[in-house]
Amino acid sequence: MTRRVLVSGNWKMNHNHFESIQFVQKLAAILRASPLPSGRDASLHPPFTSLRSVQTAVESDAVPVALGAQDCHGMDRGAFTGEVSAEMLAKLGVSYVIVGHSERRTYFGETDEIVRAKLDAVLRHAMTPILCVGETLDERQGGRAEEKVSAQLGTALSKRPGSVVGGLVVAYEPIWAIGTGETATASDAQHMAAHIRREVERLSGAEAAGGIRVQYGGSVTPENARVLLSCPDVDGLLVGGASLGAEGFAAIGRAGA
Ligand code: PEP
């Protein structure tokens, strides 16, 4: 089955709302001059404070990118100071929500169970979760990378209908490759992407495994994007640092097409 490639820019805690608008205007001009190839989708994941500005700028310039968020709470409302709900994101026109990013798991103590609750919330509000999974360097060197990823997938995806799981995006982000300049080799990325698809098939059936999109993330650049996207089981890229500039992000969106 031919899947659409999804390239997502995770800005993390970068770009205030003025900088975010400038980014979108620049991207609009770049994509007007040279559109993304057919079969390519893109999403931008600004900080919460920039979501509304990005949404307005994307709409007014008709930029062909979806609005994404970096996180959400698992509950729809209540006494959770500082948090933002999936319901609020859906109202803003957000289409994709990253859940379980390793920085959230490491710095904010997110467990697999919390990640599952966030995934539930995103689905409840008809958005698409980008579920991040990945191993530490210790786990990789100890031969436990697949086991770790399987456990994360198991908690997040078990007991869900195959038709729902087939619509999700899973981002394989080896923790040792995030923001470090160390990229997994294409063969590492392909190996784990194929493992993820097999696990999804075991948990949710062949239809789900065929439908799910698997992104690779970890020090992606315009230079290494082509080889990563050439992997048969890699359907997209989750990009941090290299998504902060409109030219670099557009170059990654076009890579190899
Ligand atoms: C990320 O934030 O998900 C990421 C992969 O970051 P970077 O591309 O900077 O490694």
Side-chain angles (χ1 to χ4, degrees), residues 3-6 130-131 133 153 168-173 189-190 192-198 200 208-217 228-229 231-238:
R3 278 174 292 271
R4 295 184 67 83
V5 165
L6 175 64
I130 299 181
L131 168 67
V133 296
L153 289 172
L168 307 190
V169 180
V170 174
Y172 168 54
E173 297 213 304
Q190 167 54 28
M192 192 60 90
H195 173 74
I196 289 170
R197 224 177 279 289
R198 278 193 303 274
V200 169
I212 205 157
R213 283 187 287 180
V214 182
Q215 292 180 316
Y216 166 80
L228 290 162
L229 284 174
C231 301
D233 282 290
V234 173
D235 311 307
L237 300 168
L238 180 52

Side-chain angles (χ1 to χ4, degrees), residues 10 12 101 173 177-179 217-220 238-241:
N10 173 19
K12 312 191 188 196
H101 191 282
E173 297 213 304
I178 298 179
S219 297
V220 172
L238 180 52
V239 188

Side-chain angles (χ1 to χ4, degrees), residues 74-133:
M75 305 288 280
D76 286 346
R77 58 191 60 225
F80 301 103
T81 302
E83 291 294 308
V84 170
S85 72
E87 185 181 30
M88 294 165 180
L89 297 176
K91 266 272 184 287
L92 267 180
V94 166
S95 304
Y96 294 96
V97 185
I98 296 171
V99 294
H101 191 282
S102 64
E103 287 154 12
R104 302 280 332 158
R105 294 177 188 262
T106 306
Y107 304 136
F108 302 96
E110 283 189 12
T111 61
D112 286 346
E113 289 69 27
I114 292 174
V115 172
R116 182 178 173 99
K118 292 184 175 203
L119 206 138
D120 286 341
V122 174
L123 291 171
R124 229 175 16 251
H125 294 285
M127 297 176 291
T128 302
I130 299 181
L131 168 67
C132 297
V133 296

